[in-house]
Amino acid sequence: MARPDFAEMIPSTLYGKLTLFAVLIEAITVIILESVVAAIFWKYYNPGEAIGVGGATRGVPVYLIIFIIAQLFQIVLCWDAVWHKNTIQIVGFVAFNLCVCAYSIFQYSQMIGIVNNSAAALLEHDKQTLQAVLIVIPIVVAVFEAMFLFFAFKLYLEFGWKIYKKIGADPKMRNMYRVYQIFLMLLKLDVFFVSGFGVQFLVLVIHSNDPEFALTIAALPIMMIILVLAVYGVRREDKWIMGLFCVGLVLAMAYFIFKLARIYTRQDDPRYKDTKNYLTFFASLSLAVVLGTLVNAILCYRNFGRGLKQHIMSSSSNVTELASAGPARKPLEE
């Protein structure tokens, strides 16, 4: 199959272009603001030394980098959703931005606490600037979140009507494809949240001489391979692959529950004392996303052999959104 032309990857509709433009502006604005935070922090602390020593400041460079990566991930998530006219992923994108908003509020409380409890005294000007920037970031994200909610509603109607004209309306097939699309969207969120937790745990908690250090490094690329196999398994309706994948998800849930329990049963451990809040935030979101992935994997498994495979394999080249097929004002209703 020929590779798509770059022009085809640019949204052709007004609200598609507005959504993509808005997410780019949000990312640029937030990255600039986070860079200001990083510049003030690095003015008083060496980022390399901060990670290697104890204290609350050691996690700041990692947290800032993950926040910036979240903005880049969000661009990809939005672009892919608008390009493929995938309303399910549009909803996932809006939910992800809401998580970023929550993270930015959480970041404010944590960073201000770090500054107030730090041994290094910041100049009053720098302290006021840092506090102002940390307040502006969640406000910016919240404003864009409101915009994305409006754009998502418009795209929801727009994409549903266009796909309806191409596909028609088969309620059972729509429902099965909706579950399939939710599953693929959750796999993408798994990549970010599970990797984000793994990186934080690897850099801030585990020592290089700890046996778990090598296991964590090996687990990250293995996880990516497993997620790719899951996509293959659900598209080909391979019951063995999906069954093993579900077992893997159960083990992943057990892992995150174990990590959460360890964080709060070892509160006196200096490795967790200053990182437990961020680790809890990511571990909880990772656990929720993995649980959602497991539920949808089971639903996809139950839909095997009902005709969805033939539709996916025959229409993947020209139709990537069926879940929203329906009348223009009721795209997900029967």
Side-chain angles (χ1 to χ4, degrees), residues 74 92-104 141 145 281:
Q74 193 168 259
F93 154 71
V94 174
F96 183 83
N97 192 71
L98 184 61
C99 291
V100 172
C101 185
Y103 189 86
S104 64
V141 178
E145 175 68 12
F281 183 86

Side-chain angles (χ1 to χ4, degrees), residues 20-36:
L20 185 56
F21 178 74
V23 74
L24 289 171
I25 295 300
E26 180 194 18
I28 293 172
T29 304
V30 171
I31 289 175
I32 291 174
L33 293 174
E34 289 289 331
S35 299
V36 173

Side-chain angles (χ1 to χ4, degrees), residues 136-173:
V136 169
I137 291 174
I139 293 175
V140 169
V141 178
V143 169
F144 277 99
E145 175 68 12
M147 294 173 58
F148 294 145
L149 285 170
F150 174 74
F151 293 154
F153 175 72
K154 291 296 185 179
L155 293 173
Y156 176 78
L157 301 178
E158 184 179 278
F159 293 167
W161 174 241
K162 288 189 176 183
I163 299 302
Y164 175 78
K165 291 190 295 183
K166 293 181 180 180
I167 300 301
D170 181 347
K172 292 183 179 180
M173 194 65 66

